[in-house]
Amino acid sequence: MMPAAAVLPAGIEEEQLLAHLRRLSWGAADILLAYGRGEQPPYGFPKALSVDEGGEGPVSAADLAVNQWLLDGLAQAFPNAGWTLLSEETAKDQLTAGEPLDAEWLWILDPLDGTKDFLQGTGEYAVHLALVRGGEAVLGVVLLPEKEELWFGLVPEQRAWRENRAGEQQPACLSPRRALSELVLVASRNHRDQRLEQLLEALALGDSKAIGSVGGKVATILRGETDLYISLSGKSAPKDWDMAAPEAVLQAAGGAFTHADGRPLRYNTGDVRQAGCLIASHGGSHQELCQKAAAAMAEIDPGFAV
Protein backbone atom coordinates (compact mmCIF):
# COMPACT_ATOMS: atom_id res chain seq x y z
CA MET A 1 0.00 0.00 0.00
CA MET A 2 1.42 3.38 -1.03
CA PRO A 3 1.95 5.88 1.82
CA ALA A 4 -0.37 8.91 1.79
CA ALA A 5 1.06 12.07 0.27
CA ALA A 6 2.16 14.70 2.78
CA VAL A 7 -0.50 17.31 3.48
CA LEU A 8 2.13 19.95 4.32
CA PRO A 9 5.87 20.25 3.75
CA ALA A 10 8.15 18.46 6.19
CA GLY A 11 8.54 20.35 9.45
CA ILE A 12 5.43 22.47 9.03
CA GLU A 13 2.75 21.91 11.66
CA GLU A 14 -0.84 22.60 10.64
CA GLU A 15 -1.90 24.61 13.68
CA GLN A 16 1.26 26.71 13.58
CA LEU A 17 0.73 27.43 9.90
CA LEU A 18 -2.94 28.34 10.40
CA ALA A 19 -2.01 30.67 13.27
CA HIS A 20 0.45 32.57 11.08
CA LEU A 21 -2.01 32.65 8.17
CA ARG A 22 -4.62 34.20 10.48
CA ARG A 23 -2.19 36.86 11.64
CA LEU A 24 -1.04 37.67 8.11
CA SER A 25 -4.59 37.70 6.73
CA TRP A 26 -6.02 40.08 9.33
CA GLY A 27 -2.94 42.26 8.93
CA ALA A 28 -3.62 42.36 5.18
CA ALA A 29 -7.22 43.32 5.94
CA ASP A 30 -6.06 46.24 8.09
CA ILE A 31 -3.76 47.45 5.31
CA LEU A 32 -6.44 47.26 2.62
CA LEU A 33 -9.13 48.86 4.78
CA ALA A 34 -6.83 51.77 5.57
CA TYR A 35 -5.92 52.37 1.93
CA GLY A 36 -9.55 52.01 0.88
CA ARG A 37 -10.59 54.71 3.36
CA GLY A 38 -7.71 57.05 2.58
CA GLU A 39 -6.23 56.54 6.05
CA GLN A 40 -2.65 55.99 7.18
CA PRO A 41 -1.96 52.24 6.76
CA PRO A 42 -0.39 50.24 9.62
CA TYR A 43 2.98 48.47 9.80
CA GLY A 44 4.92 51.43 8.43
CA PHE A 45 3.51 51.36 4.90
CA PRO A 46 3.29 54.75 3.18
CA LYS A 47 0.02 56.55 2.63
CA ALA A 48 -1.18 56.35 -0.97
CA LEU A 49 -0.23 59.22 -3.23
CA SER A 50 -2.52 60.22 -6.05
CA VAL A 51 -1.25 60.34 -9.60
CA ASP A 52 -1.24 64.13 -9.33
CA GLU A 53 1.07 63.85 -6.33
CA GLY A 54 3.51 61.69 -8.23
CA GLY A 55 2.16 58.36 -7.02
CA GLU A 56 0.22 55.54 -8.63
CA GLY A 57 -2.94 55.79 -6.58
CA PRO A 58 -4.49 53.69 -3.82
CA VAL A 59 -4.82 50.43 -5.75
CA SER A 60 -1.11 50.17 -6.59
CA ALA A 61 -0.09 51.26 -3.09
CA ALA A 62 -2.43 48.76 -1.43
CA ASP A 63 -1.48 45.93 -3.79
CA LEU A 64 2.24 46.43 -3.24
CA ALA A 65 1.90 46.86 0.53
CA VAL A 66 -0.11 43.66 1.01
CA ASN A 67 2.22 41.82 -1.34
CA GLN A 68 5.22 42.81 0.77
CA TRP A 69 3.37 42.05 4.02
CA LEU A 70 2.50 38.51 2.92
CA LEU A 71 5.82 37.62 1.31
CA ASP A 72 7.89 39.00 4.20
CA GLY A 73 5.53 37.46 6.75
CA LEU A 74 5.70 33.95 5.31
CA ALA A 75 9.48 34.17 4.85
CA GLN A 76 10.05 35.35 8.42
CA ALA A 77 7.61 32.90 10.02
CA PHE A 78 9.01 29.90 8.13
CA PRO A 79 12.62 30.70 7.17
CA ASN A 80 13.48 27.04 6.50
CA ALA A 81 10.27 25.93 4.81
CA GLY A 82 10.73 23.94 1.64
CA TRP A 83 8.41 26.06 -0.46
CA THR A 84 8.60 28.81 -3.07
CA LEU A 85 6.59 32.04 -2.94
CA LEU A 86 4.90 33.40 -6.07
CA SER A 87 2.52 36.34 -6.24
CA GLU A 88 0.79 38.29 -8.95
CA GLU A 89 3.21 41.13 -8.22
CA THR A 90 6.38 39.01 -8.49
CA ALA A 91 5.31 36.78 -11.41
CA LYS A 92 6.83 39.02 -14.07
CA ASP A 93 10.29 38.62 -12.52
CA GLN A 94 9.94 34.96 -11.48
CA LEU A 95 8.28 33.27 -14.43
CA THR A 96 9.51 32.27 -17.88
CA ALA A 97 6.81 31.46 -20.44
CA GLY A 98 6.39 27.73 -20.92
CA GLU A 99 8.51 26.79 -17.91
CA PRO A 100 6.98 25.76 -14.57
CA LEU A 101 8.80 26.89 -11.47
CA ASP A 102 11.05 24.22 -10.00
CA ALA A 103 9.09 23.89 -6.78
CA GLU A 104 7.42 20.88 -5.19
CA TRP A 105 5.52 23.20 -2.82
CA LEU A 106 4.45 26.59 -4.11
CA TRP A 107 2.50 29.44 -2.53
CA ILE A 108 0.42 31.34 -5.10
CA LEU A 109 -0.72 34.70 -3.73
CA ASP A 110 -3.02 37.44 -4.95
CA PRO A 111 -2.68 40.43 -2.62
CA LEU A 112 -5.71 42.19 -4.10
CA ASP A 113 -8.26 40.30 -6.19
CA GLY A 114 -10.95 42.65 -7.47
CA THR A 115 -9.05 45.88 -8.03
CA LYS A 116 -11.98 47.52 -9.81
CA ASP A 117 -14.22 46.81 -6.85
CA PHE A 118 -11.57 48.15 -4.48
CA LEU A 119 -11.35 51.34 -6.52
CA GLN A 120 -15.12 51.66 -6.92
CA GLY A 121 -15.72 51.17 -3.21
CA THR A 122 -18.07 48.19 -3.53
CA GLY A 123 -16.17 46.33 -0.81
CA GLU A 124 -16.19 43.18 -2.94
CA TYR A 125 -12.47 42.52 -3.11
CA ALA A 126 -10.42 39.72 -1.60
CA VAL A 127 -6.97 38.41 -0.75
CA HIS A 128 -6.01 34.91 -1.96
CA LEU A 129 -3.35 32.55 -0.61
CA ALA A 130 -3.00 29.02 -1.96
CA LEU A 131 -0.47 26.29 -1.27
CA VAL A 132 0.05 24.10 -4.33
CA ARG A 133 1.81 20.76 -4.68
CA GLY A 134 2.33 18.95 -7.97
CA GLY A 135 0.02 21.37 -9.77
CA GLU A 136 -2.86 20.85 -7.33
CA ALA A 137 -4.04 23.31 -4.69
CA VAL A 138 -3.98 21.60 -1.28
CA LEU A 139 -4.70 24.58 1.00
CA GLY A 140 -6.61 27.77 0.29
CA VAL A 141 -7.20 30.99 2.18
CA VAL A 142 -9.69 33.63 1.01
CA LEU A 143 -9.93 36.86 2.97
CA LEU A 144 -12.87 39.25 2.53
CA PRO A 145 -11.73 42.36 4.45
CA GLU A 146 -14.96 44.36 4.27
CA LYS A 147 -17.00 41.39 5.51
CA GLU A 148 -14.48 40.57 8.25
CA GLU A 149 -14.56 37.03 6.90
CA LEU A 150 -11.66 34.61 6.54
CA TRP A 151 -12.11 31.29 4.72
CA PHE A 152 -9.82 28.28 5.07
CA GLY A 153 -9.89 25.09 3.02
CA LEU A 154 -7.76 22.00 3.59
CA VAL A 155 -8.33 19.85 0.52
CA PRO A 156 -6.85 16.50 1.68
CA GLU A 157 -8.89 16.74 4.89
CA GLN A 158 -12.04 17.86 3.03
CA ARG A 159 -12.53 20.59 5.62
CA ALA A 160 -13.54 24.20 4.96
CA TRP A 161 -14.69 26.88 7.34
CA ARG A 162 -14.88 30.63 7.89
CA GLU A 163 -13.69 32.70 10.83
CA ASN A 164 -14.17 36.22 12.10
CA ARG A 165 -11.51 38.24 13.91
CA ALA A 166 -12.57 36.75 17.24
CA GLY A 167 -11.72 33.30 15.87
CA GLU A 168 -15.32 32.10 15.89
CA GLN A 169 -15.70 29.40 13.24
CA GLN A 170 -18.56 28.30 11.02
CA PRO A 171 -18.37 25.42 8.52
CA ALA A 172 -19.17 25.91 4.85
CA CYS A 173 -22.87 25.38 4.13
CA LEU A 174 -23.55 24.51 0.48
CA SER A 175 -27.09 24.90 -0.79
CA PRO A 176 -29.46 21.93 -1.31
CA ARG A 177 -30.72 23.22 -4.68
CA ARG A 178 -30.18 20.71 -7.49
CA ALA A 179 -32.50 21.39 -10.47
CA LEU A 180 -30.73 23.64 -12.98
CA SER A 181 -33.80 25.87 -13.18
CA GLU A 182 -33.44 26.57 -9.44
CA LEU A 183 -29.70 27.21 -9.34
CA VAL A 184 -28.51 30.71 -8.45
CA LEU A 185 -25.62 32.02 -10.54
CA VAL A 186 -23.02 34.40 -9.14
CA ALA A 187 -21.61 36.47 -11.99
CA SER A 188 -19.00 39.14 -12.62
CA ARG A 189 -19.78 42.81 -12.61
CA ASN A 190 -17.02 43.65 -15.07
CA HIS A 191 -16.32 40.58 -17.25
CA ARG A 192 -19.28 39.56 -19.41
CA ASP A 193 -19.55 39.06 -23.16
CA GLN A 194 -22.13 37.87 -25.67
CA ARG A 195 -20.90 34.26 -25.57
CA LEU A 196 -21.45 34.11 -21.82
CA GLU A 197 -24.96 35.51 -22.20
CA GLN A 198 -25.70 32.82 -24.81
CA LEU A 199 -24.27 30.12 -22.54
CA LEU A 200 -26.40 31.25 -19.60
CA GLU A 201 -29.47 31.27 -21.82
CA ALA A 202 -28.72 27.67 -22.87
CA LEU A 203 -28.31 26.55 -19.26
CA ALA A 204 -31.67 28.09 -18.29
CA LEU A 205 -30.67 28.72 -14.69
CA GLY A 206 -32.70 30.39 -11.96
CA ASP A 207 -31.78 33.67 -10.29
CA SER A 208 -28.42 35.47 -10.47
CA LYS A 209 -26.44 38.02 -8.52
CA ALA A 210 -23.36 40.07 -9.36
CA ILE A 211 -20.32 40.04 -7.06
CA GLY A 212 -16.76 41.24 -7.59
CA SER A 213 -13.63 39.11 -7.02
CA VAL A 214 -13.45 35.38 -7.65
CA GLY A 215 -12.92 34.86 -3.92
CA GLY A 216 -16.04 36.84 -3.16
CA LYS A 217 -18.05 34.85 -5.70
CA VAL A 218 -16.95 31.49 -4.36
CA ALA A 219 -17.69 32.65 -0.81
CA THR A 220 -21.35 33.10 -1.80
CA ILE A 221 -21.38 29.43 -2.90
CA LEU A 222 -19.71 28.42 0.38
CA ARG A 223 -22.43 30.24 2.35
CA GLY A 224 -25.18 28.60 0.29
CA GLU A 225 -26.37 31.93 -1.12
CA THR A 226 -25.55 30.92 -4.71
CA ASP A 227 -24.77 27.65 -6.49
CA LEU A 228 -22.38 28.26 -9.36
CA TYR A 229 -19.94 30.60 -11.05
CA ILE A 230 -18.76 30.40 -14.66
CA SER A 231 -15.53 31.85 -16.01
CA LEU A 232 -15.41 32.08 -19.80
CA SER A 233 -12.13 33.37 -21.18
CA GLY A 234 -12.00 35.58 -24.23
CA LYS A 235 -9.23 38.02 -25.17
CA SER A 236 -7.95 37.60 -21.64
CA ALA A 237 -8.18 34.83 -19.06
CA PRO A 238 -7.95 34.66 -15.28
CA LYS A 239 -4.60 33.61 -13.88
CA ASP A 240 -3.41 31.03 -11.38
CA TRP A 241 -3.58 33.53 -8.51
CA ASP A 242 -7.21 34.34 -9.31
CA MET A 243 -8.37 30.74 -9.06
CA ALA A 244 -6.10 28.64 -6.83
CA ALA A 245 -7.24 29.77 -3.37
CA PRO A 246 -11.00 29.91 -4.10
CA GLU A 247 -10.81 26.54 -5.85
CA ALA A 248 -9.03 24.96 -2.89
CA VAL A 249 -11.59 26.20 -0.37
CA LEU A 250 -14.50 25.11 -2.56
CA GLN A 251 -13.01 21.65 -3.17
CA ALA A 252 -12.35 21.28 0.57
CA ALA A 253 -16.01 22.13 1.26
CA GLY A 254 -17.20 19.34 -1.04
CA GLY A 255 -17.92 21.55 -4.04
CA ALA A 256 -16.35 21.34 -7.49
CA PHE A 257 -14.29 23.67 -9.69
CA THR A 258 -13.32 22.26 -13.10
CA HIS A 259 -13.25 22.88 -16.82
CA ALA A 260 -16.55 22.22 -18.59
CA ASP A 261 -15.14 18.94 -19.91
CA GLY A 262 -14.48 17.81 -16.33
CA ARG A 263 -10.73 18.41 -16.35
CA PRO A 264 -9.39 19.64 -13.01
CA LEU A 265 -7.63 22.97 -12.75
CA ARG A 266 -3.83 22.75 -12.69
CA TYR A 267 -1.27 25.30 -11.53
CA ASN A 268 2.39 26.04 -12.21
CA THR A 269 2.18 24.46 -15.64
CA GLY A 270 4.30 27.04 -17.45
CA ASP A 271 1.18 28.97 -18.49
CA VAL A 272 -0.46 31.00 -15.70
CA ARG A 273 -3.64 31.56 -17.73
CA GLN A 274 -6.69 29.61 -16.60
CA ALA A 275 -8.32 29.66 -20.02
CA GLY A 276 -11.48 27.93 -21.15
CA CYS A 277 -14.94 27.48 -19.68
CA LEU A 278 -14.45 26.97 -15.95
CA ILE A 279 -17.34 26.06 -13.68
CA ALA A 280 -17.36 26.37 -9.90
CA SER A 281 -20.37 24.87 -8.14
CA HIS A 282 -21.72 23.34 -4.95
CA GLY A 283 -21.04 19.99 -6.63
CA GLY A 284 -24.48 18.42 -6.57
CA SER A 285 -25.35 19.36 -10.15
CA HIS A 286 -21.80 19.74 -11.42
CA GLN A 287 -21.73 16.91 -13.95
CA GLU A 288 -25.00 18.03 -15.55
CA LEU A 289 -23.80 21.65 -15.63
CA CYS A 290 -20.55 20.63 -17.32
CA GLN A 291 -22.24 18.45 -19.93
CA LYS A 292 -24.76 21.14 -20.89
CA ALA A 293 -22.14 23.89 -20.89
CA ALA A 294 -19.72 21.92 -23.08
CA ALA A 295 -22.50 21.08 -25.56
CA ALA A 296 -23.66 24.69 -25.66
CA MET A 297 -20.14 26.08 -26.19
CA ALA A 298 -19.61 23.67 -29.11
CA GLU A 299 -22.43 25.54 -30.87
CA ILE A 300 -21.79 29.04 -29.55
CA ASP A 301 -18.05 29.06 -30.29
CA PRO A 302 -17.01 25.98 -32.34
CA GLY A 303 -13.37 25.06 -31.69
CA PHE A 304 -13.27 26.84 -28.32
CA ALA A 305 -11.27 24.70 -25.90
CA VAL A 306 -13.38 24.41 -22.77
Short mmCIF file of all heavy atoms in Angstrom, two decimals, residues 9 14 21 35 37 41 65 77 80-82 101 103-104 119-120 133 157 204 222 237 245 249 266 272 280 282 285:
data_model
loop_
_atom_site.label_atom_id
_atom_site.label_comp_id
_atom_site.label_asym_id
_atom_site.label_seq_id
_atom_site.Cartn_x
_atom_site.Cartn_y
_atom_site.Cartn_z
N PRO A 9 4.44 20.55 3.85
CA PRO A 9 5.87 20.25 3.75
C PRO A 9 6.43 19.75 5.08
O PRO A 9 5.89 20.04 6.16
CB PRO A 9 6.49 21.61 3.39
CG PRO A 9 5.38 22.39 2.78
CD PRO A 9 4.14 21.94 3.47
N GLU A 14 0.40 21.97 11.12
CA GLU A 14 -0.84 22.60 10.64
C GLU A 14 -1.30 23.76 11.51
O GLU A 14 -1.59 24.85 11.01
CB GLU A 14 -1.94 21.55 10.54
CG GLU A 14 -3.26 22.11 9.99
CD GLU A 14 -4.34 21.05 9.91
OE1 GLU A 14 -4.14 20.07 9.14
OE2 GLU A 14 -5.37 21.19 10.60
N LEU A 21 -1.14 32.20 9.26
CA LEU A 21 -2.01 32.65 8.17
C LEU A 21 -3.11 33.57 8.68
O LEU A 21 -3.49 34.54 8.01
CB LEU A 21 -2.60 31.45 7.44
CG LEU A 21 -1.61 30.62 6.62
CD1 LEU A 21 -2.28 29.36 6.08
CD2 LEU A 21 -1.04 31.44 5.46
N TYR A 35 -6.09 51.76 3.25
CA TYR A 35 -5.92 52.37 1.93
C TYR A 35 -7.27 52.69 1.30
O TYR A 35 -7.45 53.73 0.67
CB TYR A 35 -5.12 51.44 1.01
CG TYR A 35 -3.63 51.54 1.19
CD1 TYR A 35 -2.89 50.45 1.66
CD2 TYR A 35 -2.94 52.71 0.87
CE1 TYR A 35 -1.52 50.53 1.82
CE2 TYR A 35 -1.56 52.79 1.02
CZ TYR A 35 -0.85 51.71 1.50
OH TYR A 35 0.50 51.79 1.66
N ARG A 37 -9.94 53.57 2.70
CA ARG A 37 -10.59 54.71 3.36
C ARG A 37 -9.74 55.97 3.34
O ARG A 37 -10.10 56.98 3.94
CB ARG A 37 -10.92 54.32 4.81
CG ARG A 37 -11.95 53.20 4.90
CD ARG A 37 -12.02 52.59 6.28
NE ARG A 37 -12.96 51.46 6.29
CZ ARG A 37 -13.07 50.60 7.30
NH1 ARG A 37 -12.30 50.73 8.38
NH2 ARG A 37 -13.92 49.60 7.23
N PRO A 41 -1.99 53.70 6.56
CA PRO A 41 -1.96 52.24 6.76
C PRO A 41 -1.03 51.86 7.91
O PRO A 41 -0.11 52.62 8.25
CB PRO A 41 -1.44 51.71 5.42
CG PRO A 41 -0.69 52.85 4.83
CD PRO A 41 -1.36 54.10 5.30
N ALA A 65 1.73 46.98 -0.92
CA ALA A 65 1.90 46.86 0.53
C ALA A 65 1.50 45.48 1.02
O ALA A 65 2.22 44.84 1.79
CB ALA A 65 1.09 47.94 1.24
N ALA A 77 8.23 33.90 9.15
CA ALA A 77 7.61 32.90 10.02
C ALA A 77 8.16 31.51 9.76
O ALA A 77 8.23 30.69 10.69
CB ALA A 77 6.10 32.91 9.83
N ASN A 80 12.89 28.27 7.04
CA ASN A 80 13.48 27.04 6.50
C ASN A 80 12.47 26.16 5.77
O ASN A 80 12.74 25.00 5.51
CB ASN A 80 14.12 26.24 7.65
CG ASN A 80 15.20 27.03 8.35
OD1 ASN A 80 16.06 27.63 7.72
ND2 ASN A 80 15.15 27.05 9.69
N ALA A 81 11.31 26.72 5.48
CA ALA A 81 10.27 25.93 4.81
C ALA A 81 10.71 25.58 3.39
O ALA A 81 11.30 26.40 2.69
CB ALA A 81 8.96 26.70 4.79
N GLY A 82 10.35 24.37 2.99
CA GLY A 82 10.73 23.94 1.64
C GLY A 82 9.70 24.32 0.61
O GLY A 82 9.18 23.46 -0.11
N LEU A 101 7.79 26.67 -12.49
CA LEU A 101 8.80 26.89 -11.47
C LEU A 101 9.25 25.54 -10.90
O LEU A 101 8.45 24.61 -10.76
CB LEU A 101 8.23 27.76 -10.33
CG LEU A 101 8.02 29.24 -10.65
CD1 LEU A 101 7.28 29.92 -9.50
CD2 LEU A 101 9.35 29.93 -10.90
N ALA A 103 9.52 23.83 -8.17
CA ALA A 103 9.09 23.89 -6.78
C ALA A 103 8.08 22.78 -6.52
O ALA A 103 7.04 22.73 -7.16
CB ALA A 103 8.45 25.25 -6.49
N GLU A 104 8.39 21.91 -5.56
CA GLU A 104 7.42 20.88 -5.19
C GLU A 104 6.24 21.53 -4.47
O GLU A 104 5.08 21.20 -4.72
CB GLU A 104 8.06 19.85 -4.26
CG GLU A 104 7.08 18.76 -3.82
CD GLU A 104 7.65 17.80 -2.81
OE1 GLU A 104 8.80 18.01 -2.36
OE2 GLU A 104 6.95 16.83 -2.45
N LEU A 119 -11.37 49.95 -6.09
CA LEU A 119 -11.35 51.34 -6.52
C LEU A 119 -12.75 51.97 -6.51
O LEU A 119 -12.91 53.13 -6.15
CB LEU A 119 -10.75 51.42 -7.93
CG LEU A 119 -10.37 52.80 -8.46
CD1 LEU A 119 -9.33 53.45 -7.56
CD2 LEU A 119 -9.81 52.69 -9.87
N GLN A 120 -13.75 51.16 -6.86
CA GLN A 120 -15.12 51.66 -6.92
C GLN A 120 -15.80 51.71 -5.56
O GLN A 120 -16.90 52.25 -5.43
CB GLN A 120 -15.95 50.78 -7.87
CG GLN A 120 -15.52 50.90 -9.33
CD GLN A 120 -16.08 49.78 -10.21
OE1 GLN A 120 -16.80 48.89 -9.73
NE2 GLN A 120 -15.76 49.81 -11.49
N ARG A 133 0.81 21.82 -4.56
CA ARG A 133 1.81 20.76 -4.68
C ARG A 133 1.51 19.93 -5.92
O ARG A 133 0.39 19.48 -6.10
CB ARG A 133 1.81 19.86 -3.46
CG ARG A 133 2.96 18.85 -3.50
CD ARG A 133 2.84 17.81 -2.42
NE ARG A 133 4.09 17.08 -2.24
CZ ARG A 133 4.22 15.94 -1.56
NH1 ARG A 133 3.15 15.41 -0.98
NH2 ARG A 133 5.39 15.35 -1.45
N GLU A 157 -8.04 17.03 3.74
CA GLU A 157 -8.89 16.74 4.89
C GLU A 157 -10.37 16.95 4.57
O GLU A 157 -11.23 16.64 5.40
CB GLU A 157 -8.50 17.61 6.08
CG GLU A 157 -7.08 17.39 6.57
CD GLU A 157 -6.72 18.31 7.72
OE1 GLU A 157 -7.64 18.88 8.35
OE2 GLU A 157 -5.52 18.46 7.99
N ALA A 204 -30.34 27.83 -18.86
CA ALA A 204 -31.67 28.09 -18.29
C ALA A 204 -31.66 27.96 -16.77
O ALA A 204 -32.41 27.18 -16.18
CB ALA A 204 -32.71 27.14 -18.90
N LEU A 222 -20.05 29.06 -0.89
CA LEU A 222 -19.71 28.42 0.38
C LEU A 222 -20.75 28.72 1.46
O LEU A 222 -20.97 27.90 2.35
CB LEU A 222 -18.33 28.89 0.84
CG LEU A 222 -17.15 28.46 -0.04
CD1 LEU A 222 -15.92 29.26 0.29
CD2 LEU A 222 -16.88 26.96 0.14
N ALA A 237 -7.75 35.95 -19.89
CA ALA A 237 -8.18 34.83 -19.06
C ALA A 237 -7.71 35.09 -17.64
O ALA A 237 -6.70 35.75 -17.42
CB ALA A 237 -7.60 33.52 -19.58
N ALA A 245 -6.72 29.75 -4.75
CA ALA A 245 -7.24 29.77 -3.37
C ALA A 245 -8.74 29.51 -3.32
O ALA A 245 -9.20 28.66 -2.55
CB ALA A 245 -6.87 31.08 -2.68
N VAL A 249 -10.59 26.14 -1.43
CA VAL A 249 -11.59 26.20 -0.37
C VAL A 249 -12.88 25.50 -0.81
O VAL A 249 -13.49 24.75 -0.04
CB VAL A 249 -11.87 27.65 0.05
CG1 VAL A 249 -12.91 27.69 1.17
CG2 VAL A 249 -10.60 28.35 0.50
N ARG A 266 -5.22 23.03 -13.02
CA ARG A 266 -3.83 22.75 -12.69
C ARG A 266 -3.05 24.06 -12.63
O ARG A 266 -3.33 24.99 -13.40
CB ARG A 266 -3.20 21.80 -13.72
CG ARG A 266 -3.73 20.38 -13.63
CD ARG A 266 -3.21 19.69 -12.39
NE ARG A 266 -3.69 18.30 -12.27
CZ ARG A 266 -4.71 17.94 -11.52
NH1 ARG A 266 -5.40 18.86 -10.84
NH2 ARG A 266 -5.07 16.67 -11.42
N VAL A 272 0.33 30.60 -16.87
CA VAL A 272 -0.46 31.00 -15.70
C VAL A 272 -1.92 31.28 -16.06
O VAL A 272 -2.75 31.47 -15.16
CB VAL A 272 0.13 32.25 -15.02
CG1 VAL A 272 1.51 31.95 -14.47
CG2 VAL A 272 0.16 33.45 -15.96
N ALA A 280 -17.43 26.61 -11.33
CA ALA A 280 -17.36 26.37 -9.90
C ALA A 280 -18.78 26.16 -9.41
O ALA A 280 -19.68 26.93 -9.75
CB ALA A 280 -16.73 27.55 -9.18
N HIS A 282 -21.57 24.06 -6.21
CA HIS A 282 -21.72 23.34 -4.95
C HIS A 282 -21.53 21.84 -5.12
O HIS A 282 -21.46 21.11 -4.14
CB HIS A 282 -23.08 23.64 -4.30
CG HIS A 282 -24.28 23.30 -5.13
ND1 HIS A 282 -24.31 22.29 -6.08
CD2 HIS A 282 -25.52 23.84 -5.15
CE1 HIS A 282 -25.51 22.22 -6.63
NE2 HIS A 282 -26.27 23.16 -6.08
N SER A 285 -24.87 19.37 -8.76
CA SER A 285 -25.35 19.36 -10.15
C SER A 285 -24.19 19.56 -11.13
O SER A 285 -24.40 19.90 -12.28
CB SER A 285 -26.38 20.48 -10.36
OG SER A 285 -27.38 20.44 -9.37
#
